[in-house]
Amino acid sequence: MAEFETVRRPGVGAGVRTTTYDEGLRAHMSKVYGTMSVGMIITALAAWAVAGLSVSGVPTEYMIGEGKYLTSFGVAIYASPLKWLVMFAPLLFVFGLSAGISRMSAGAAQIAFYAFAAVMGVSISSIFLVFTGMSIVQVFLVTAIAFAALSLWGYTTRKDISGWGTFLFMGLIGVVVASIVNIFLGSPALMFAVSAIGVLVFAGLTAFDTQRLKNEYLQLAGTQGEAYLGHAAILGALSLYLNFINMFMMLLSLFGNRQ
C-alpha cells in the first residue's frame, strides 16, 4: 500500500503520474476480469456439453434417475477409472500452468488458461447430473454477486489485508486435504464442514487476491515490461477464476437442490 500512497502524493508531475497509473491499472484489471470471464464462459459451455453427451433416455445398465441413463461416454468419464483423471486433471493443469507460464508468450499463456478452463468444465460437469438446473443458476447468481462485492471491497478498501495471506493459505491447504480425504470417506458431515469453511476461505481469498493484484501492478508497472504485465494478468485471472469456481462449488454443495 505504500507505493499506492506514493503515487498519489502531491508534488511535481504528481497529477500526470496519477493519471498514468490509474489508466494503466484500470486497463490491467480490465484484462484480468475479462480473461477470467471468458474462462468462466468456456467452463460453463464445456460442462454443459459434456453433461449432455453423458446422459440419454436410452436404457442402459447405468440408471441415474427416472428415464435418465449414462451413455457409454458418461460411463467412461464418471464410472470408469478415467474418472480419477477427470477429477484431478485441473489440479495437475493449474500446477503446470503456474510453473511454466514464465516460459510462454502472453498469447500462449492465455490459450493455456482457456484450455485449463475447458478441462475444469469437464471435471465439474457432473453437477448437471446431481443438481437441478434451477438451483445451479440460482447458486451461480448468488456466487457472482458475492464475488463482485468482495472483489470490489478488496479493490477499494484502504485497509491493508496482506496479513490475511498466511491464514487463508493454511485454510486452503486444510480444505484441499479434507476434500481429498472425503472422496474416500464419503462423510456428509465432513463434506458440510469443508463446504462451509471453504466458502469463508475463498471469500477471503477473493478480496485478498484483488488487493494483491492491484498492489503488484502499482509496485511493478514502472519497472517491468509489457510481457511481464501480460503474464501477471493471466495469473491474476487464474487466481480469481479459481476463487470463483471453488466458492460456487462450495455454495452449491451447501444449498443446491439435488435431483
Side-chain angles (χ1 to χ4, degrees):
M1 293 299 287
E3 288 76 7
F4 178 63
E5 297 300 334
T6 301
V7 168
R8 298 184 180 279
R9 190 173 297 157
V12 178
V16 175
R17 290 199 302 274
T18 299
T19 300
T20 301
Y21 273 86
D22 283 351
E23 290 178 353
L25 178 60
R26 283 196 294 269
H28 180 72
M29 296 304 291
S30 293
K31 183 174 182 180
V32 170
Y33 288 114
T35 302
M36 172 198 162
S37 298
V38 173
M40 292 297 304
I41 293 172
I42 291 173
T43 297
L45 291 176
W48 178 78
V50 169
L53 292 172
S54 301
V55 181
S56 76
V58 179
T60 67
E61 60 179 309
Y62 291 94
M63 182 177 180
I64 61 172
E66 186 175 351
K68 293 183 179 180
Y69 304 86
L70 287 181
T71 64
S72 57
F73 178 77
V75 171
I77 65 171
Y78 298 135
S80 76
L82 184 60
K83 69 182 181 181
W84 298 108
L85 177 60
V86 172
M87 186 181 304
F88 290 107
L91 188 60
L92 299 175
F93 205 124
V94 75
F95 283 143
L97 180 59
S98 299
I101 192 172
S102 61
R103 296 187 292 273
M104 304 178 187
S105 66
Q110 190 168 34
I111 292 173
F113 170 73
Y114 292 150
F116 165 72
V119 170
M120 179 64 80
V122 176
S123 182
I124 67 172
S125 60
S126 59
I127 63 174
F128 288 99
L129 281 61
V130 177
F131 300 95
T132 64
M134 181 59 69
S135 70
I136 291 174
V137 172
Q138 289 174 339
V139 172
F140 180 87
L141 291 176
V142 169
T143 305
I145 293 170
F147 178 89
L150 289 163
S151 191
L152 179 63
W153 181 79
Y155 185 86
T156 59
T157 184
R158 290 186 174 273
K159 179 180 180 180
D160 182 5
I161 60 174
S162 59
W164 293 9
T166 301
F167 175 78
L168 291 171
F169 180 74
M170 292 175 59
L172 176 61
I173 294 300
V175 167
V176 171
V177 171
S179 297
I180 293 175
V181 169
N182 203 44
I183 291 175
F184 304 99
L185 294 181
S187 168
L190 182 57
M191 179 182 294
F192 179 86
V194 168
S195 297
I197 295 172
V199 169
L200 298 177
V201 169
F202 289 109
L205 281 170
T206 296
F208 171 82
D209 282 335
T210 301
Q211 187 179 87
R212 175 181 60 81
L213 293 172
K214 174 184 176 181
N215 289 342
E216 283 180 356
Y217 177 86
L218 294 173
Q219 293 167 4
L220 301 174
T223 60
Q224 300 292 338
E226 289 297 322
Y228 177 87
L229 293 176
H231 287 93
I234 302 300
L235 286 174
L238 177 63
S239 296
L240 294 180
Y241 168 92
L242 289 172
N243 293 339
F244 186 103
I245 286 290
N246 282 287
M247 188 158 54
F248 166 71
M249 294 297 292
M250 301 295 180
L251 287 171
L252 189 62
S253 177
L254 289 172
F255 303 112
N257 294 324
R258 298 177 181 271
Q259 300 194 58

